[in-house]
Amino acid sequence: AKSRHTGDNAALPSQQGHISHKPLQEGDIQIFVELQTSPRKTIVLLVKNSTSVREVKEFVDEKSDGTFSASHMRLVGEGGRYFSSDELPINVSHGATLVCFPAWR
């Protein structure tokens, strides 16, 4: 048995059944948000394509226990796509990983 725990187990696909307390609903998209903390943390969110960037930031704020404030974070998607407008829908694919950076502006 492995005695070392890195804190990254939540991001492993084999753990998927243990992440969510409710079954995936139609239209739910499971995404991973990697927090640029030390050590790095990954949180799992269920969103819809219509979920706004602001709502995703608020979920991250809530799940990160205030490590990242919704008003002071940047979300970057795959390929370095920066989500610049909080009003736009997040529009990401199932299993996408976003990276969350603190923004000091």
Side-chain angles (χ1 to χ4, degrees), residues 32-100:
F32 302 94
V33 181
E34 188 177 282
L35 304 179
Q36 297 300 296
T37 56
S38 183
R40 287 197 178 157
K41 278 177 29 179
T42 300
I43 60 176
V44 180
L45 299 175
L46 286 178
V47 299
K48 298 187 182 325
N49 272 330
S50 60
T51 303
S52 72
V53 172
R54 171 176 288 134
E55 289 172 300
V56 173
K57 287 180 177 182
E58 287 168 358
F59 295 148
V60 171
D61 186 347
E62 191 178 301
K63 285 206 168 198
S64 71
D65 298 320
T67 304
F68 286 90
S69 158
S71 60
H72 293 100
M73 76 173 69
R74 284 184 172 188
L75 289 176
V76 179
E78 286 154 343
R81 183 168 69 113
Y82 168 56
F83 295 97
S84 55
S85 174
D86 282 355
E87 306 311 318
L88 291 176
I90 194 80
N91 215 3
V92 291
S93 56
H94 186 75
T97 299
L98 307 183
V99 180
C100 179

